[in-house]
Amino acid sequence: MAIKRITGSKAVILSLLEEGVDTIFGYPGGAIMPIYDALYDYDKQVSHILTRHEQGAVHAAEGYAKVTGKAGVCFATSGPGATNLITGIADAMIDSIPLVCITGQVASPLLGTDAFQESDVVGISMPITKWNYQITNADEIPDAIAKAFYIAQSGRPGPVLLDIAKDAQFQEIDFSYKKCKKIRSYIPEHQVDPFKVKAAAWLIDQAKKPLLLFGQGVIIAQAEAELKAFVEKTGIPAAWTLLGLSAMPTDHPLNVGMLGMHGNYGPNIKTNEADLIIAVGMRFDDRVTGKVSEYAKNAKIIHLEVDPAEIDKIIKTDVAVLGNAKKSLAMLIDNVKENNHDAWIQEFRDCDQIEREKVIDKDIRPDKVGLTMGEAVRITSEKTKHNAVLVTDVGQQQMIASRYFKFTQSKSNVTSGGLGTMGYAIPAAMGAQLGAKDRTVCCFVGDGGFQMTLQELGTIVQNKLPVKIILLNNNFLGMVRQWQQLFFEKRYSFTELQNPDFIMIGKGFGMEGHQVTKREELEDGIQRMLDHDGPYLLEVVVEKEDNVFPMVPSGASVSDIILEA
């Protein structure tokens, strides 16, 4: 870009435009006001979404990043504005979501003086960012932003934070911009070792009961086609982590379901019967492994992973293939033999039948009087022809929706995985809708999480975002209540909620909606929501003690999965 004389604040905006940024989420304040003033002149080139809280801005940026694969961008001012981003930044770090967070800071002569609205956001955010940096001189702005985008989006993605002193925003510089393509000593991904690939292929060809586990790394690497080709050539059953959801179509014959604490019966119980585990782009989270000392004791372990820090961190591998999942899988496809494991796959289908009789039919086609979460999810998925983007909050509705919502295309699941952030769904749904403008976004949220960020209904309405919110209301903090029921002798300690009139609150923000309490109203209510031109809040009042099964108790082996109370 040609050199010209501009302010540091304008350099921020032009740098973002050079990186192709089209949407910014944020909340203005004193220390970032010069940047907002510069943004005023570029409203035709970049959209700014004024959220009602900085946490809403960072979760919206996460939702945008999840459906687009691009870095989400958010702005906040210094002090409390910056610290209000922290939960979302931590969420993005553990879930490998690319973010560029830009915060204003007090003028550099005031740093360290406890000035008004000063906080050490660089120090606070250091453990939860992939990289952060404080800018005190405007000359640093273009290179710092270029570096920020490169780090956020390369290798294993993650959040970065730039803290820009107010005087640097006013300074003038000779501006030019060059995208960052390399940083000395930073290796975002390693070259795939062909000898490791051959060693992995040999184990795969010998295995009698192999099981592939795929996570979000497949989606990040855009390796969905390679994953499908690999399992189809080898005939290996594949199971997904919560964040790997949608990388393979739900109805694919080799897709055997969800892993984890509330995952499907088959992939959990069969993990300890497998003689080979092939993990692709997943990190062996404790919710997947259960008791580590009892995990996959009969299996050799192959791990395809971009981040060397994840290799052997939790589960000891026999062959580790370090590198980009798309490249690793492509090389594996060339080295493995065609095969099938029909008898082994039938064992999973037998487990499916057991789970259907004991759990699924009771959830999605119940004969009980009260409405269940599962039937609301099933009907919504069917009416959107399984093509919608699913956004979930954290808790029972998250697990139920992840189990029963179906998918036909990738980048269709937006949820908080590793951090488990309640209040995530509503702002994340805003970002997802802006990132996937032509798709239906269905946001499932519980009555507890809804009340943490319901102010963002105002943002949704102001920006005319046609998000469809399905509030599953059981008047409880449902997941905590379930644990109290099962493991604490029904001692429901501070989990019952006295809830407001949610529909009236929505209408106060200008959002249409209605409540459903009876089964005969449910299907028409969901259709009414989907047919509405604009955002909509559907409150579904469900049974107060509706539980999520299967369940692997905390600290138990995956073999100890239970199907009913």
Side-chain angles (χ1 to χ4, degrees):
M1 185 175 183
I3 295 174
K4 54 184 174 180
R5 193 80 177 166
I6 58 172
T7 63
S9 58
K10 190 170 183 178
V12 170
I13 306 304
L14 292 181
S15 297
L16 296 177
L17 291 175
E18 286 287 323
E19 290 291 343
V21 173
D22 56 20
T23 307
I24 299 167
F25 305 91
Y27 203 99
I32 200 170
M33 204 174 296
I35 291 174
Y36 269 91
D37 183 66
L39 182 61
Y40 187 86
D41 294 325
Y42 292 90
D43 63 334
K44 298 290 192 296
Q45 293 164 264
V46 60
S47 296
H48 178 275
I49 306 300
L50 173 62
T51 59
R52 299 304 186 263
H53 191 284
E54 291 88 355
Q55 185 176 350
V58 67
H59 289 326
E62 287 185 275
Y64 176 91
K66 286 275 283 184
V67 300
T68 64
K70 302 192 300 182
V73 179
C74 60
F75 287 174
T77 194
S78 63
T83 58
N84 281 343
L85 296 178
I86 294 300
T87 296
I89 294 172
D91 191 275
M93 185 65 176
I94 200 166
D95 282 356
S96 305
I97 298 172
L99 296 183
V100 174
C101 305
I102 295 176
T103 55
Q105 184 55 276
V106 300
S108 53
L110 297 177
L111 289 171
T113 69
D114 294 329
F116 177 66
Q117 290 193 333
E118 181 191 4
S119 65
D120 180 10
V121 69
V122 170
I124 292 168
S125 66
M126 190 172 290
I128 54 167
T129 49
K130 197 175 174 186
W131 178 65
N132 68 11
Y133 186 69
Q134 187 172 75
I135 297 172
T136 56
N137 190 303
D139 286 326
E140 300 176 289
I141 289 172
D143 287 346
I145 290 178
K147 187 175 179 181
F149 275 89
Y150 176 63
I151 293 172
Q153 297 177 132
S154 58
R156 180 180 182 175
V160 301
L161 183 141
L162 296 176
D163 190 44
I164 308 178
K166 192 169 185 178
D167 51 330
Q169 299 173 43
F170 282 117
Q171 290 171 6
E172 289 195 347
I173 62 167
D174 292 328
F175 176 77
S176 63
Y177 195 81
K178 183 179 180 182
K179 287 191 178 184
C180 181
K181 297 182 179 178
K182 184 178 181 181
I183 299 171
R184 190 178 65 173
S185 79
Y186 170 57
I187 305 172
E189 61 179 65
H190 292 73
Q191 291 295 317
V192 181
D193 184 342
F195 294 102
K196 295 286 188 181
V197 171
K198 288 184 183 298
W202 188 86
L203 286 177
I204 291 166
D205 290 340
Q206 304 306 308
K208 302 301 182 186
K209 291 188 172 184
L211 175 60
L212 186 143
L213 318 178
F214 63 92
Q216 186 178 220
V218 171
I219 298 171
I220 292 168
Q222 300 179 51
E224 295 91 342
E226 287 77 11
L227 174 68
K228 181 173 178 286
F230 175 78
V231 297
E232 288 177 352
K233 182 175 182 180
T234 59
I236 294 175
W240 35 271
T241 69
L242 179 64
L243 295 183
L245 184 57
S246 84
M248 179 183 286
T250 311
D251 63 358
H252 192 284
L254 293 170
N255 186 338
V256 294
M258 183 168 77
L259 299 158
M261 180 173 280
H262 292 288
N264 293 110
Y265 182 57
N268 276 299
I269 204 83
K270 294 298 174 184
T271 293
N272 282 355
E273 298 177 25
D275 60 4
L276 178 67
I277 297 290
I278 308 159
V280 185
M282 54 86 74
R283 58 187 180 86
F284 290 108
D285 175 76
D286 61 284
R287 284 297 193 265
V288 166
T289 64
K291 188 177 182 180
V292 171
S293 63
E294 298 297 319
Y295 181 77
K297 293 178 72 173
N298 298 316
K300 299 286 187 182
I301 307 292
I302 297 170
H303 196 178
L304 277 61
E305 174 59 46
V306 74
D307 184 357
E310 294 296 344
I311 301 293
D312 296 332
K313 185 175 82 173
I314 296 170
I315 299 298
K316 178 69 176 174
T317 59
D318 293 279
V319 178
V321 182
L322 194 59
N324 176 285
K326 189 178 184 74
K327 297 174 184 176
S328 299
L329 283 170
M331 292 171 69
L332 263 181
I333 291 167
D334 290 339
N335 281 273
V336 294
K337 297 175 182 176
E338 287 192 24
N339 206 344
N340 73 75
H341 296 279
D342 294 343
W344 172 231
I345 290 168
Q346 185 57 46
E347 293 186 33
F348 287 87
R349 299 310 172 202
D350 294 342
C351 288
D352 291 346
Q353 186 59 35
I354 294 169
E355 184 178 348
R356 176 163 289 280
E357 292 172 0
K358 288 185 174 291
V359 180
I360 296 173
D361 284 341
K362 296 175 184 177
D363 280 345
I364 67 173
R365 301 184 191 279
D367 56 9
K368 58 188 73 173
V369 174
L371 290 169
T372 66
M373 297 177 282
E375 58 187 319
V377 173
R378 172 185 63 81
I379 293 169
T380 305
S381 184
E382 288 173 354
K383 286 188 172 295
T384 56
K385 296 182 171 55
H386 314 306
N387 288 322
V389 175
L390 171 68
V391 183
T392 52
D393 211 74
V394 168
Q396 287 184 313
Q397 42 71 39
Q398 177 188 36
M399 294 295 100
I400 287 286
S402 300
R403 284 173 52 77
Y404 299 131
F405 212 82
K406 298 184 183 303
F407 300 92
T408 58
Q409 59 183 300
S410 188
K411 294 188 177 70
S412 296
N413 177 45
V414 179
T415 197
S416 171
L419 199 65
T421 305
M422 287 180 68
Y424 172 91
I426 294 174
M430 302 186 313
Q433 188 70 79
L434 284 158
K437 291 184 173 68
D438 297 330
R439 299 185 66 188
T440 300
V441 173
C442 293
C443 171
F444 282 87
V445 62
D447 44 316
F450 183 85
Q451 292 179 79
M452 289 189 172
T453 50
L454 63 79
Q455 69 273 11
E456 299 304 337
L457 297 181
T459 311
I460 291 172
V461 171
Q462 181 175 348
N463 291 280
K464 299 179 175 62
L465 303 176
V467 175
K468 311 304 180 186
I469 301 171
I470 304 95
L471 168 59
L472 300 178
N473 180 8
N474 57 14
N475 288 98
F476 267 114
L477 301 177
M479 188 61 85
V480 182
R481 184 214 53 76
Q482 178 171 334
W483 280 54
Q484 289 173 336
Q485 176 187 341
L486 298 177
F487 307 116
F488 292 88
E489 301 176 334
K490 290 192 175 182
R491 290 161 58 88
Y492 294 159
S493 180
F494 302 101
T495 47
E496 189 163 10
L497 296 167
Q498 180 176 322
N499 285 328
D501 185 331
F502 291 116
I503 301 304
M504 185 177 291
I505 288 174
K507 289 185 176 178
F509 282 104
M511 181 178 290
E512 287 298 313
H514 75 283
Q515 183 191 74
V516 168
T517 60
K518 299 176 182 177
R519 182 159 291 113
E520 55 267 27
E521 303 169 338
L522 182 58
E523 189 165 344
D524 287 344
I526 291 171
Q527 190 64 58
R528 178 176 163 188
M529 171 190 71
L530 295 172
D531 289 343
H532 181 72
D533 184 16
Y536 201 91
L537 173 61
L538 177 66
E539 178 187 359
V540 181
V541 179
V542 297
E543 288 201 337
K544 295 187 72 170
E545 296 190 9
D546 189 12
N547 289 331
V548 186
F549 288 105
M551 181 179 185
V552 179
S554 181
S557 164
V558 291
S559 296
D560 298 325
I561 189 169
I562 55 178
L563 295 173
E564 52 196 354

